[in-house]
């Protein structure tokens, strides 16, 4: 149809039919069945529009008489669209008094039913006040809802009915308008409906709202094999013996006296928290009558609708040619600036959720999950999955499971610590150190470090006993077994979730080829063995040469980490002398602890700086490898980032645990850095106190920094955005913004998805298990952090981030293999920590070989006297430099002691290793071998005894499969019986008509 408007005189309108009356000021326009040859006149336009100065009346010019064939083309939807376009256009002309002569020509291809592609310039915008909208013809409906309702909610099109399933954002100034036009035209061809609207806060930004109609959802739900409910589940209770029934009645009666579980939500007050369980089956349009469809608008939830629309957008072409398709490519070349599904309204409400119910699922999630007041409650996993999808739901399920499993680990670790605290007065080692007032220890550095009495280390010896006591070995074995139990029971928990969330038979679709891979290897092609289509191919030599270069880059970055650790070692060696000459007595008397503390803080700063560098290097190396698909790229990047950050975070800890004080040399032949500085020695009370300090500071600082960056950074950015909007648009402007505008002003989810969240927890799992024998309080710190972490992540997802795309996943991916690797590494490291770092083995050897109980102990000798050997002052550099051996010493000092097993200087072989050294070394090696084999045997046995699927779940799956087959069989029989009856009735009618 063609419309021509002229302000100078009569308004000529050409259209074929007009059925729907348009109400205005209580009057109806005439609605003839057809426009005949004689002219018809309608009332002035001022009678059905707002009172304005109207330049002319509206009249209809003579048109050809309608024929019978034309009557079939006259439908109400067409006339509604024509009336809408007519009135909007005339209103535009009225509100533009400066325009003297305006000719508007609108053409529509009625035969195809597809409107012309929209342009990005201002000629297609209909400016009305502060809002601008472009209505696609396919989005019109007969809805009579007021416009204010859709404007206030911001979740629907302007008709108030069509739900917004997806939002695309682009800028008019972008140079990719041609690709967008083709992309949007192909979206219309797929059946999607669209509506454009300009941003209120930025005139250069346009929002493209997308709606998927019912037939499109059904078609693609069938193609994607989305499982939908078709019958409620009925659980049958097994028959029990009378004794068990009586016991259950008594237990339930006893439970009735107890208060309700405080960690569970009241399902009666909040019935929407749990999803009703139903049998599900892949959706089929031919069997649509089998599915439970109470309302077509709510049959597919918002997450499923968004996932279907995203699936369509990933397969729509934007340019002629092979593989020129997909929204991700348009996002990468800046054709679109952002793409996201909408949040379901605001997460705040003036009314209480207990009395008025939840406004939407986002509000319910905030009140029952993201609000700090429910930190002790269980997570509503079904609601999380329904709102954010299975992939994010699995992350929070794993995080909750990990946090719950930390309770027994934290409890046992706390008991080990308390055992050390209660047995402190009975510790023989700390007693001997505190009473050794006449034992003079050699200086720990060449300059400024004084001679110290061994009793000066009394406090450090007692603190060491808190972590290194008789229960430490038991705790190390317990944590190794705990790691295995945690992983095995998580597999069972994941299986239950996969069953409840219909992921048992879900198979991930084959990933699309990355655009970078396609552009690089487009000249070489081979047939895909799965799809049978030609695709780009990377030959063997090119692939593995890139992998070798990438591995070389990884090795080089590990060398950078080692260089950073070497820098920390040099700092510790130099600074210990500086702190020994410090003016403040507290620092001077505790120079070694001050050196360790400052070195740990500097090491933490270096860790955070190197993490930024490692992310860029990992990105560069991963792109250099040219992975074929997005999943291959993600796995390669994940492995590199974990390897870099794990080495970066734990390299200093490994140095302190296994190298500090082990290679310092002997008196008269010390090893020196650059032939100048003597290597650092352990504290007289042992090296474990340095390891505890390292782990405690790093763990606390790392978790605090991560929590700030996760929540503080988005909060600051969103606060700055709100401040800018208030300054530009007033205090109450944000309340009037539509939902897409509010979501666009939120922060997008990071580009790597859940990578940062998983990486933080995996590194924490490493801290909790790898060196737990040296720091039993690590599980307790991890537990306290995770209780906060769950609510921080929940608050961030619900309030600070745009709604991420709901996606499916069966498990946590490559992270499970990394967890298993950390569990194996933890057994080895804890064995070495107990055998090498702690004094557990030397005490054991002394007790059973050299102590009084073994019948070989000498009077006055204890474990300290045997493990701390003599050194002659003639071999001391301090004596040669003329420094006083010990301040205020009133007796002549001939020898000082140091930690080692060597012969005294006046023996036949001065400073040679004693027999006890070889006994301790043999006992350490034997302990490592026995400990590892025993723990690995226990881990293997537990993994074998715990099945991956619970027995009741296996039975439920079998029964469900049986019931589904029976239901489908009964439904098919019912359909065949119905067809048979219809055919019989039809034959009966035909027989009656027979003469």
């Amino acid at each position: 149809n063609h419309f021509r408007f002229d302000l100078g005189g009569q308004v000529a309108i050409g259209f074929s039919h007009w059925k729907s009356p348009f109400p205005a000021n209580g009057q109806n326009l005439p609605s003839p069945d057809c426009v005949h040859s004689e002219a018809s006149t309608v009332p002035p336009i001022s009678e059905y529009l707002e009172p304005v100065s109207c330049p002319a009346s509206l009249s209809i010019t003579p048109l050809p008489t309608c024929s019978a064939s034309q009557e079939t083309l006259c439908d109400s939807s067409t006339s509604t669209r024509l009336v809408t376009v007519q009135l909007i256009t005339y209103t535009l002309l009225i509100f533009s008094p400066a325009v003297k002569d305006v000719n508007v020509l609108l053409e529509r291809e009625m035969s195809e039913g597809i409107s012309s592609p929209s342009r990005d310039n201002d000629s297609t915008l209909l400016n009305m006040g502060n809002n601008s909208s472009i209505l696609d013809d396919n989005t019109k409906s007969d809805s009579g809802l007021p416009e204010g309702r859709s404007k206030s909610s911001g979740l629907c099109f302007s008709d108030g009915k069509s739900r917004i399933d997806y939002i695309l954002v682009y800028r008019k100034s972008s140079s990719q308008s041609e690709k967008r036009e083709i992309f949007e035209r192909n979206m219309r061809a797929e059946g999607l409906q669209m509506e454009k609207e300009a941003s209120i806060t930025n005139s250069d930004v346009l929002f493209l709202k997308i709606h998927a109609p019912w037939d499109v959802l059904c078609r693609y739900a069938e193609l994607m094999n989305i499982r939908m409910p078709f019958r409620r589940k009925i659980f049958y209770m097994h028959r029990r013996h009378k004794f068990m029934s009586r016991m259950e009645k008594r237990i339930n009666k006893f439970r009735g006296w107890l208060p309700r579980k405080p960690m569970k939500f009241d399902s009666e007050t909040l019935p929407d928290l749990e999803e009703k369980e139903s049998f599900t089956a892949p959706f089929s349009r031919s069997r649509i009558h089998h599915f439970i469809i109470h309302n077509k608008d709510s049959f597919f939830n918002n997450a499923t609708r968004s996932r279907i629309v995203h699936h369509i957008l990933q397969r729509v072409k934007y340019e002629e040619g092979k593989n020129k398709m997909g929204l991700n490519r348009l996002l990468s070349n800046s054709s679109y600036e952002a793409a996201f599904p909408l949040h379901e309204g605001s997460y705040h409400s003036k009314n209480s959720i207990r009395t008025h119910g939840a406004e939407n699922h986002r509000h319910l999630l905030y009140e029952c999950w993201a609000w700090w007041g429910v930190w002790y409650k269980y997570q509503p996993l079904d609601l999380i999955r329904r709102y954010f999808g299975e992939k994010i739901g699995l992350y929070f399920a794993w995080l909750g499971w990990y946090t719950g499993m930390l309770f027994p680990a934290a409890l046992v670790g706390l008991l080990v610590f308390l055992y050390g605290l209660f047995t402190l007065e009975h510790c023989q080692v700390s007693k001997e150190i505190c009473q050794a007032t006449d034992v003079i220890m050699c200086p720990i550095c060449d300059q400024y470090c004084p001679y110290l009495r061994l009793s000066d280390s009394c406090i450090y010896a007692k603190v060491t006993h808190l972590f290194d006591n008789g229960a430490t070995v038991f705790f190390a074995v317990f944590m190794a077994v705990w790691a295995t139990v945690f992983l095995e029971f998580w597999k069972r928990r994941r299986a239950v979730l996969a069953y409840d969330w219909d992921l048992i038979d879900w198979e991930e679709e084959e990933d699309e080829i990355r655009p970078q891979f396609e552009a690089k290897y487009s000249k070489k092609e081979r047939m895909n063995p799965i799809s049978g289509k030609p695709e780009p191919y990377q030959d063997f030599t090119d692939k593995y040469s890139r992998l070798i270069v990438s591995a070389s880059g990884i090795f080089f970055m590990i060398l950078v980490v080692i260089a950073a650790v070497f820098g920390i070692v040099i700092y510790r060696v130099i600074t210990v002398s500086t702190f020994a000459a410090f003016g403040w007595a507290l620092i001077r008397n505790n120079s070694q602890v001050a050196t360790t503390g400052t070195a740990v803080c500097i090491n933490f700063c270096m860790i955070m700086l190197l993490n930024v560098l490692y992310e860029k290097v990992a990105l560069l190396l991963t792109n250099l490898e040219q992975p074929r698909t997005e999943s291959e790229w993600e796995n390669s990047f994940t492995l590199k980032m974990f390897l870099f950050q794990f080495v970066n975070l734990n390299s200093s800890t490994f140095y302190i645990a296994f190298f500090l004080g082990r290679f310092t040399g002997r008196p008269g032949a010390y090893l020196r850095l650059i032939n100048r500085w003597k290597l650092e020695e352990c504290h007289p009370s042992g090296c474990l106190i340095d390891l505890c300090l390292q782990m405690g500071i790093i763990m606390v600082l790392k978790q605090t920094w991560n929590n700030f960056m996760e929540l503080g950074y988005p909060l600051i950015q969103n606060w700055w955005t709100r401040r800018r909007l208030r300054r530009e648009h007033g205090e109450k402007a944000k309340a009037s913004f539509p939902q897409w505008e509010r979501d666009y002003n939120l922060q997008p989810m990071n580009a790597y998805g859940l990578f940062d969240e998983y990486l933080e927890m995996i590194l924490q799992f490493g801290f909790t298990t790898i060196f737990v024998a040296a720091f039993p309080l690590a599980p307790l710190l991890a537990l306290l952090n995770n209780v906060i972490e769950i609510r921080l992540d929940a608050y961030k997802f619900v309030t600070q981030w745009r709604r991420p795309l709901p996606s499916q996943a069966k498990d946590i991916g490559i992270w499970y293999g990394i967890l298993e690797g950390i569990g194996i590494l933890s057994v080895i490291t804890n064995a070495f920590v107990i055998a090498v770092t702690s004094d557990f083995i030397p005490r054991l050897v002394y007790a059973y070989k050299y102590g009084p109980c073994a019948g070989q102990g000498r009077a006055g000798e204890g474990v300290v006297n045997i493990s701390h050997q003599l050194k002659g002052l003639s071999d001391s550099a301090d004596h040669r430099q003329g420094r006083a051996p010990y301040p205020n010493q009133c007796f002549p000092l001939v020898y000082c002691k140091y930690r080692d097993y060597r012969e005294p200087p006046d023996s036949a072989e001065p400073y040679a290793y004693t027999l006890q050294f070889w006994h301790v070394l043999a006992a350490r090696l034997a302990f490592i071998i026995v400990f590892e084999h025993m723990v690995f045997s226990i881990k293997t046995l537990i993994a074998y005894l715990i099945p991956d699927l619970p027995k009741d779940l296996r039975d439920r799956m079998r029964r469900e499969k049986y019931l589904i087959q029976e239901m489908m069989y009964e439904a098919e029989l019912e359909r065949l019986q119905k067809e048979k009856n219809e055919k019989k009735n039809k034959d009966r009618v035909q027989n009656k008509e027979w003469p």
Side-chain angles (χ1 to χ4, degrees):
N1 298 319
H2 301 275
F3 302 85
R4 187 175 185 278
F5 297 84
D6 193 355
L7 273 178
Q10 300 294 323
V11 180
I13 309 172
F15 58 95
S16 61
H17 200 70
W18 187 6
K19 264 188 177 180
S20 301
F22 185 85
N25 290 345
Q27 299 183 6
N28 292 335
L29 293 177
S31 54
D33 292 337
C34 190
V35 178
H36 296 279
S37 57
E38 59 270 16
S40 301
T41 304
V42 296
I45 196 170
S46 59
E47 293 188 15
Y48 58 90
L49 286 179
E50 293 296 330
V52 295
S53 56
C54 183
S57 61
L58 178 64
S59 61
I60 304 177
T61 58
L63 293 177
T65 305
C66 291
S67 61
S69 61
Q70 289 175 326
E71 292 288 343
T72 59
L73 299 175
C74 303
D75 59 344
S76 59
S77 61
T78 304
S79 60
T80 304
R81 295 178 188 136
L82 301 180
V83 171
T84 306
V85 173
Q86 166 200 343
L87 295 178
I88 290 179
T89 310
Y90 195 79
T91 307
L92 174 65
L93 299 180
I94 291 177
F95 282 101
S96 303
V99 181
K100 295 296 182 72
D101 188 11
V102 179
N103 296 320
V104 181
L105 181 64
L106 301 176
E107 297 183 359
R108 189 171 188 272
E109 299 175 3
M110 298 295 293
S111 60
E112 296 181 1
I114 303 175
S115 60
S116 60
S118 58
R119 301 287 177 180
D120 295 338
N121 53 23
D122 292 336
S123 63
T124 56
L125 285 177
L126 306 176
N127 299 316
M128 298 181 182
N130 292 331
N131 254 338
S132 303
S133 63
I134 305 171
L135 304 181
D136 185 85
D137 290 342
N138 288 338
T139 63
K140 304 296 179 188
S141 66
D142 298 330
S143 173
L145 292 176
E147 187 179 357
R149 175 178 172 181
S150 63
K151 294 290 184 182
S152 61
S153 64
L155 300 175
C156 299
F157 280 11
S158 298
D159 59 5
K161 277 190 173 182
S162 301
R163 182 186 301 178
I164 299 175
D165 298 320
Y166 213 78
I167 291 289
L168 298 180
V169 186
Y170 66 92
R171 294 183 179 273
K172 291 187 291 184
S173 57
S174 174
S175 60
Q176 305 288 342
S177 59
E178 184 177 354
K179 292 181 180 179
R180 281 197 304 270
E181 291 170 7
I182 299 175
F183 187 72
E184 292 171 13
R185 184 167 64 244
N186 291 332
M187 280 196 291
R188 294 188 186 94
E190 291 290 339
L192 296 178
Q193 299 178 0
M194 289 172 287
E195 182 178 87
K196 294 184 181 178
E197 186 151 339
S199 172
I200 299 175
T201 60
N202 191 342
S203 60
D204 189 41
V205 175
L206 286 174
F207 295 99
L208 179 63
K209 299 173 281 185
I210 302 175
H211 168 73
W214 170 255
D215 56 343
V216 175
L217 294 173
C218 293
R219 183 169 73 251
Y220 278 94
E222 185 174 6
L223 291 175
M224 297 168 64
N225 288 323
I226 296 178
R227 301 181 68 90
M228 302 303 294
F230 72 93
R231 185 156 312 177
R232 300 293 183 201
K233 286 185 179 180
I234 301 175
F235 298 101
Y236 295 93
M237 299 297 295
H238 296 289
R239 295 188 62 183
R240 298 178 180 269
H241 297 288
K242 293 182 178 180
F243 174 75
M244 294 298 297
S245 300
R246 288 196 299 268
M247 288 296 297
E248 286 186 357
K249 288 181 180 179
R250 294 177 181 176
I251 293 174
N252 292 333
K253 185 178 180 180
F254 176 73
R255 286 178 178 175
W257 300 338
L258 300 176
R260 292 185 177 182
K261 294 183 178 180
M263 292 180 291
K264 284 190 175 182
F265 289 100
D266 187 4
S267 58
E268 298 178 358
T269 308
L270 303 172
D272 295 333
L273 280 178
E274 296 183 0
E275 194 171 3
K276 295 180 180 179
E277 295 188 355
S278 303
F279 290 117
T280 60
F283 183 78
S284 173
R285 287 178 291 177
S286 61
R287 297 179 178 179
I288 195 172
H289 53 281
H290 293 166
F291 295 91
I292 305 173
I293 305 178
H294 300 298
N295 186 359
K296 290 183 177 181
D297 293 335
S298 60
F299 179 64
F300 297 104
N301 58 33
N302 288 344
T304 304
R305 296 173 69 99
S306 300
R307 188 155 53 89
I308 291 175
V309 172
H310 183 78
H311 177 87
I312 298 173
L313 297 183
Q314 289 296 95
R315 286 153 180 79
V316 172
K317 284 194 171 185
Y318 61 86
E319 191 176 331
E320 294 301 327
K322 183 174 57 178
N323 295 327
K324 299 293 184 180
M325 65 175 65
L327 177 62
N328 288 344
R329 289 181 171 91
L330 292 178
L331 289 172
S332 61
N333 63 21
S334 301
S335 296
Y336 289 101
E337 184 176 322
F340 53 90
L342 286 180
H343 278 297
E344 298 180 6
S346 175
Y347 62 89
H348 277 305
S349 177
K350 297 179 180 178
N351 303 318
S352 172
I353 191 174
R354 300 286 178 179
T355 56
H356 293 76
E359 299 284 341
N360 48 64
H361 283 165
R362 189 187 185 192
H363 180 215
L364 185 61
L365 275 173
Y366 177 78
E367 293 290 340
C368 301
W369 181 47
W371 181 47
W372 295 101
V374 293
W375 63 270
Y376 59 94
K377 297 284 188 181
Y378 290 135
Q379 298 183 91
L381 293 178
D382 289 333
L383 186 60
I384 298 171
R385 171 245 181 176
R386 203 186 318 169
Y387 193 83
F388 291 110
E390 287 79 2
K391 193 171 186 178
I392 295 178
L394 269 177
Y395 163 71
F396 281 103
W398 175 84
L399 181 57
W401 184 258
Y402 171 45
T403 305
M405 288 293 291
L406 280 174
F407 273 97
L411 179 61
V412 176
L414 183 61
L415 291 178
V416 170
F417 179 81
L418 294 177
Y419 173 81
L421 182 63
F422 292 144
T423 60
L424 189 60
E425 298 300 328
H426 305 285
C427 177
Q428 183 65 26
V429 177
S430 60
K431 277 184 179 181
E432 292 182 9
I433 291 178
C434 293
Q435 295 172 3
T437 56
D438 56 344
V439 177
I440 306 302
M441 300 301 297
C442 300
I444 59 176
C445 64
D446 291 334
Q447 296 178 354
Y448 307 115
C449 294
Y451 291 86
L452 298 174
R453 288 189 176 92
L454 183 58
S455 59
D456 294 340
S457 304
C458 179
I459 296 178
Y460 302 114
K462 292 182 177 180
V463 172
T464 301
H465 178 73
L466 297 178
F467 303 101
D468 183 15
N469 50 63
T472 303
V473 178
F474 162 76
F475 185 59
V477 176
F478 172 82
M479 287 302 298
V481 174
W482 172 87
T484 302
V485 172
F486 161 65
L487 293 177
E488 292 300 321
F489 275 94
W490 163 247
K491 286 195 290 187
R492 294 165 60 89
R493 175 62 174 161
R494 185 205 62 81
V496 173
L497 289 174
Y499 170 78
D500 291 339
W501 294 352
D502 296 322
L503 298 172
I504 293 293
D505 299 325
W506 178 80
E507 294 294 336
E508 189 172 0
E509 298 179 359
E510 186 183 6
D511 285 345
E512 297 179 0
I513 298 176
R514 298 178 65 243
Q516 295 84 350
F517 183 89
E518 178 188 351
K520 180 71 176 178
Y521 301 103
S522 58
K523 296 181 181 179
K524 296 182 181 180
E525 291 185 348
R526 73 169 182 179
M527 299 297 294
N528 188 312
I530 299 176
S531 63
K533 298 179 181 179
E535 65 178 14
Y537 169 68
Q538 183 183 14
D539 56 22
F540 179 85
T541 56
D542 181 80
K543 179 178 181 179
Y544 282 93
S545 61
R546 291 177 177 274
L547 287 177
I548 292 174
V549 174
S550 177
S552 302
I554 295 173
F555 180 72
F556 174 77
M557 294 309 298
I558 292 177
L559 292 180
V560 172
V561 176
I562 296 175
V565 174
F566 186 72
I568 295 295
V569 172
I570 295 177
Y571 169 82
R572 295 170 68 106
V573 169
I574 297 176
T575 313
V576 67
S577 300
T578 305
F579 282 137
F582 207 73
W584 192 8
L586 180 64
I587 300 295
R588 185 174 61 251
N589 296 334
N590 300 277
S591 58
Q592 197 166 8
V593 177
T595 301
T596 302
T598 55
V600 171
C601 295
I602 294 175
N603 184 30
F604 174 75
C605 296
M606 292 181 63
I607 287 172
M608 304 312 297
L609 291 176
L610 287 176
N611 282 344
V612 178
L613 174 63
Y614 291 154
E615 182 176 349
K616 298 183 182 301
V617 173
L619 194 62
L620 176 65
L621 294 178
T622 306
N623 291 331
L624 179 65
E625 292 177 5
Q626 290 292 349
R628 176 177 169 272
T629 62
E630 290 294 338
S631 62
E632 292 178 4
W633 187 96
E634 182 179 345
N635 290 340
S636 178
F637 178 78
T638 298
L639 195 59
K640 289 182 182 61
M641 280 296 293
F642 169 76
L643 185 61
F644 286 157
Q645 294 213 18
F646 180 81
V647 173
N648 186 29
L649 190 63
N650 294 283
S651 55
S652 296
T653 310
F654 271 90
Y655 164 74
I656 294 175
F658 305 126
F659 297 99
L660 178 63
R662 300 295 188 281
F663 307 99
T664 57
R666 65 175 180 82
Y670 282 116
L671 297 179
R672 299 180 180 273
L673 286 175
I674 323 176
N675 294 324
R676 183 176 179 182
W677 296 292
K678 187 177 74 172
L679 289 178
E680 187 181 9
E681 297 181 10
C682 290
H683 198 272
S685 60
C687 296
L688 201 67
I689 187 66
D690 295 327
L691 184 58
C692 294
L693 196 62
Q694 171 84 11
M695 289 191 61
I697 293 178
I698 289 291
M699 195 170 185
V700 171
L701 290 180
K702 187 79 166 60
Q703 292 179 351
T704 304
W705 176 260
N706 287 337
N707 290 337
F708 169 75
M709 291 302 295
E710 282 187 11
L711 185 62
Y713 184 68
L715 275 175
I716 293 173
Q717 285 188 316
N718 290 332
W719 169 81
W720 183 259
T721 302
R722 290 194 301 268
R723 181 176 178 273
R724 177 177 56 82
L725 293 177
R726 284 196 302 266
R727 188 173 62 250
E728 295 177 358
H729 302 278
E731 290 291 333
K732 299 182 179 180
K734 189 173 182 291
S736 62
F737 287 171
Q739 188 63 43
W740 56 83
E741 190 88 41
R742 281 180 277 176
D743 286 3
Y744 177 67
N745 290 326
L746 295 177
Q747 296 302 310
M749 190 176 179
N750 30 23
Y752 308 128
L754 294 170
F755 170 80
D756 290 336
E757 277 71 24
Y758 273 117
L759 180 63
E760 178 188 356
M761 290 295 104
I762 298 300
L763 292 176
Q764 183 204 83
F765 180 79
F767 256 94
T768 306
T769 55
I770 291 178
F771 293 104
V772 73
F775 192 58
L777 293 180
L780 180 61
L781 294 180
L783 174 63
L784 297 177
N785 174 80
N786 286 6
V787 171
I788 301 174
E789 179 74 21
I790 291 176
R791 305 305 160 180
L792 278 179
D793 285 346
Y795 186 82
K796 177 177 59 180
F797 271 92
V798 174
T799 68
Q800 301 301 310
W801 277 1
R802 297 172 191 164
R803 187 176 183 178
L805 176 70
S807 55
Q808 289 185 310
K810 292 181 68 172
D811 49 33
I812 59 176
I814 194 176
W815 298 109
Y816 185 83
I818 294 176
L819 286 172
E820 286 187 325
I822 292 177
I824 295 174
L825 180 62
S826 67
V827 177
I828 301 173
T829 54
N830 283 308
F832 275 89
V833 166
I834 296 173
V836 177
T837 310
S838 73
D839 290 332
F840 174 76
I841 298 299
R843 293 197 303 265
L844 205 64
V845 171
Y846 169 78
Y848 290 98
K849 181 64 177 175
Y850 296 96
C853 296
Q856 299 185 20
R858 295 189 297 268
E861 275 196 343
V863 63
V864 173
N865 287 327
I866 288 189
S867 61
H868 291 70
Q869 300 300 331
L870 296 176
K871 181 180 79 168
L873 288 183
S874 58
D875 299 315
S876 175
D878 305 307
H879 181 71
R880 291 194 296 267
Q881 293 173 1
R883 185 175 49 171
Y886 194 85
N888 302 323
Q889 183 70 35
C890 59
F891 55 87
L893 181 62
V894 180
Y895 296 104
C896 65
K897 287 200 171 187
Y898 61 98
R899 285 178 57 90
D900 209 343
Y901 296 96
R902 292 182 182 270
E903 296 289 347
D906 54 356
S907 64
E909 296 181 5
Y911 303 117
Y913 287 115
T914 62
L915 183 61
Q916 186 179 1
F917 168 81
W918 300 108
H919 287 168
V920 170
L921 180 61
R924 283 172 169 169
L925 294 177
F927 175 83
I928 292 172
I929 294 173
V930 172
F931 182 88
E932 288 182 355
H933 282 73
M934 181 188 68
V935 174
F936 279 131
S937 300
I938 295 175
K939 286 168 66 72
T940 306
L941 180 63
I942 290 176
Y944 174 77
L945 293 178
I946 300 177
D948 294 344
L949 285 178
K951 185 179 182 303
D952 59 340
L953 176 61
R954 189 182 293 111
D955 295 341
R956 288 169 60 187
M957 291 171 60
R958 290 176 180 173
R959 177 165 181 79
E960 179 175 344
K961 185 177 180 180
Y962 168 76
L963 290 178
I964 289 176
Q965 291 176 350
E966 290 293 322
M967 292 173 189
M968 292 296 182
Y969 179 71
E970 292 175 1
E972 195 66 22
L973 286 180
E974 184 180 350
R975 184 184 65 83
L976 293 175
Q977 186 67 29
K978 186 177 180 181
E979 291 180 355
K980 184 178 180 180
N981 293 336
E982 291 178 354
K983 184 178 180 181
K984 186 183 296 184
N985 293 334
K986 186 177 180 181
D987 294 341
R988 188 179 301 168
V989 172
Q990 290 178 353
N991 291 335
K992 286 183 180 180
E993 293 178 355
W994 189 259

